[in-house]
Amino acid sequence: MESADAIPGYLYGSHDLERSPVTEEDLAQLKQTVLFGDDDERHLRMAGEVLDDQVEAVLDVWYGFVAAHPHLVRYFAGPDGGPVDEYLTRVRTRFGQWIRDLCERDWDRAWLDYQEEIALRHTPAKKNRTDAVEAPDRIPLRYLVAFVYPITATVREFLARKGHSEAEVDAMHQAWFKAVTLSVALWSRPYAGDEW
Amino acid sequence: MESADAIPGYLYGSHDLERSPVTEEDLAQLKQTVLFGDDDERHLRMAGEVLDDQVEAVLDVWYGFVAAHPHLVRYFAGPDGGPVDEYLTRVRTRFGQWIRDLCERDWDRAWLDYQEEIALRHTPAKKNRTDAVEAPDRIPLRYLVAFVYPITATVREFLARKGHSEAEVDAMHQAWFKAVTLSVALWSRPYAGDEW
């Protein structure tokens, strides 16, 4: 795993982070709603081990997908309309660390607080600040929700590359799907205010 | 298929509906984001045929899931805290029709307008009015997002019950997953305003 120091703008566990307003009870109820149980926790850890040395390859797929769609890559564009390479690169490093954190970390207060930070960085409250870039000031909520599909579907082939049984790959993939859906539910919070 | 007249509060295609602010371009870009293509359209139609006489059984699973979780069933509760059976029943009929509409209808202006109506009926703007009930005035956005998982995962077994090949079942299931994700993206609109 890369050291956190090497990842620009990665503030996991920092005392500078605001506390998330999401409570432990909210999280427990969200886990129930996506049917996330102990078996999923185990299989998500297993997925983390399987993905660990494939994170760059997964990111290649995701970044290829974004780059191929002008309606997505525009959120990484500067004032001249072209994508800002340094911005893309910095976000990419954090995106890779997100894969690892989602699979490996306990979903505790520090994890919840960092999900809120990630959420805010998609909205006018914090987008662009971490990377000192002049790009559009928000990622529309509809794309956060829509990304549940590609972020889930594209990972299966990587989960299948380390010789696990079909049943184990399926179990890892379902745990991943649940975890991604729950993450997006948490990231939707600042968009909805009292209606979250 | 039940006639639309038999479904309380079902206003698909009605001139009384407000127009959705979602444009055809927004929809096209959302379809690209969930990778929904012509093959998916075909497999979603096939899923509609497979599910048509199983809709009540699917709803039994979904309603059983909601009923088993106090943090979900509370959104169907009246002032005395207990679930309002008539409300649950009326919503259930529309929920069943949603399955059919999602699979069978063209995703045109009438479909987009009705997605907006469904969206609003989850928020303080319109929740409870259609069914003249005094229940909580919103479904929190986090549960709309989280429901992508159970609504997707529980349908696979039903898709597999009509003798299709494993590959066809998978293709129907992926099309369903994409269509559900896109639906939730559309339903998130009124929650996010300018940040949608």
Side-chain angles (χ1 to χ4, degrees):
Chain A
M1 191 189 287
E2 292 193 66
S3 102
D5 295 342
I7 302 174
Y10 180 63
L11 296 180
Y12 197 106
S14 162
H15 292 296
D16 296 337
L17 285 185
E18 289 173 58
R19 296 290 79 88
S20 169
V22 177
T23 67
E24 277 69 16
E25 188 184 15
D26 292 335
L27 176 62
Q29 292 174 342
L30 274 177
K31 286 169 75 171
Q32 289 176 39
T33 311
V34 299
L35 300 162
F36 192 92
D38 293 344
D39 257 13
D40 295 300
E41 197 169 319
R42 194 164 55 80
H43 284 109
L44 193 60
R45 294 267 190 269
M46 191 187 291
E49 289 164 23
V50 168
L51 295 175
D52 189 57
D53 68 356
Q54 303 187 86
V55 163
E56 290 305 315
V58 172
L59 291 168
D60 284 344
V61 172
W62 294 349
Y63 265 60
F65 176 69
V66 169
H69 290 93
H71 73 280
L72 298 176
V73 77
R74 67 186 290 268
Y75 298 103
F76 296 94
D80 69 356
V84 181
D85 287 340
E86 193 192 344
Y87 180 35
L88 280 160
T89 303
R90 289 169 61 100
V91 171
R92 180 181 166 119
T93 323
R94 295 197 297 273
F95 209 172
Q97 185 59 38
W98 169 74
I99 297 174
R100 296 187 164 103
D101 286 343
L102 183 60
C103 294
E104 297 172 13
R105 299 270 199 186
D106 290 331
W107 295 356
D108 56 11
R109 176 48 47 190
W111 183 82
L112 273 179
D113 290 346
Y114 198 61
Q115 300 319 300
E116 177 70 7
E117 176 72 10
I118 292 174
L120 291 168
R121 289 181 184 184
H122 289 84
T123 74
K126 287 207 171 179
K127 187 169 178 289
N128 302 335
R129 292 196 194 175
T130 306
D131 305 299
V133 69
E134 290 181 71
D137 73 352
R138 68 200 68 184
I139 307 279
L141 175 62
R142 63 187 182 274
Y143 294 133
L144 265 78
V145 175
F147 258 67
V148 168
Y149 184 80
I151 295 291
T152 297
T154 53
V155 162
R156 196 182 190 288
E157 66 173 302
F158 295 100
L159 295 174
R161 283 188 186 166
K162 298 290 176 79
H164 293 79
S165 71
E166 197 73 4
E168 282 173 321
V169 172
D170 276 343
M172 287 190 281
H173 194 219
Q174 290 302 303
W176 173 257
F177 179 8
K178 295 173 186 186
V180 169
T181 304
L182 185 144
S183 297
V184 173
L186 292 173
W187 298 345
S188 73
R189 201 211 56 78
Y191 292 85
D194 287 345
E195 295 177 16
W196 180 75
Chain B
M1 192 189 287
E2 290 193 68
S3 103
D5 295 342
I7 302 173
Y10 179 63
L11 295 181
Y12 197 106
S14 161
H15 291 297
D16 296 337
L17 285 185
E18 288 173 59
R19 298 289 80 88
S20 169
V22 177
T23 67
E24 276 69 16
E25 187 184 15
D26 292 334
L27 176 62
Q29 291 174 343
L30 274 177
K31 286 169 74 170
Q32 289 177 37
T33 311
V34 299
L35 299 162
F36 192 92
D38 292 343
D39 257 13
D40 294 300
E41 198 169 319
R42 194 164 55 80
H43 285 108
L44 193 60
R45 293 268 190 271
M46 191 187 292
E49 289 164 24
V50 167
L51 296 175
D52 189 57
D53 67 356
Q54 302 187 86
V55 163
E56 290 306 314
V58 173
L59 291 168
D60 283 345
V61 171
W62 294 350
Y63 266 60
F65 176 69
V66 169
H69 290 94
H71 74 279
L72 299 175
V73 78
R74 67 185 292 267
Y75 299 103
F76 296 94
D80 69 355
V84 180
D85 287 340
E86 193 191 343
Y87 180 35
L88 280 159
T89 302
R90 288 168 62 100
V91 171
R92 180 182 167 119
T93 322
R94 294 197 297 273
F95 209 171
Q97 185 59 37
W98 169 73
I99 297 175
R100 296 186 164 104
D101 286 342
L102 183 60
C103 293
E104 297 172 12
R105 299 269 199 187
D106 290 332
W107 295 357
D108 55 12
R109 176 49 47 190
W111 184 82
L112 273 179
D113 290 346
Y114 199 60
Q115 301 318 301
E116 177 71 5
E117 176 71 11
I118 293 174
L120 291 168
R121 290 181 184 184
H122 289 85
T123 73
K126 288 207 172 179
K127 187 168 178 291
N128 302 336
R129 291 196 194 176
T130 305
D131 305 298
V133 69
E134 291 181 71
D137 73 352
R138 69 201 67 182
I139 307 279
L141 176 62
R142 63 188 182 275
Y143 294 132
L144 265 79
V145 175
F147 259 67
V148 169
Y149 183 81
I151 295 290
T152 297
T154 53
V155 161
R156 195 181 190 289
E157 66 171 304
F158 296 99
L159 295 173
R161 283 189 185 164
K162 298 290 175 78
H164 293 80
S165 70
E166 198 72 6
E168 282 173 321
V169 172
D170 276 344
M172 286 190 281
H173 194 220
Q174 290 302 303
W176 174 258
F177 179 8
K178 295 174 186 187
V180 169
T181 304
L182 185 144
S183 297
V184 173
L186 292 173
W187 297 345
S188 74
R189 200 211 56 78
Y191 292 84
D194 288 346
E195 295 176 17
W196 180 74

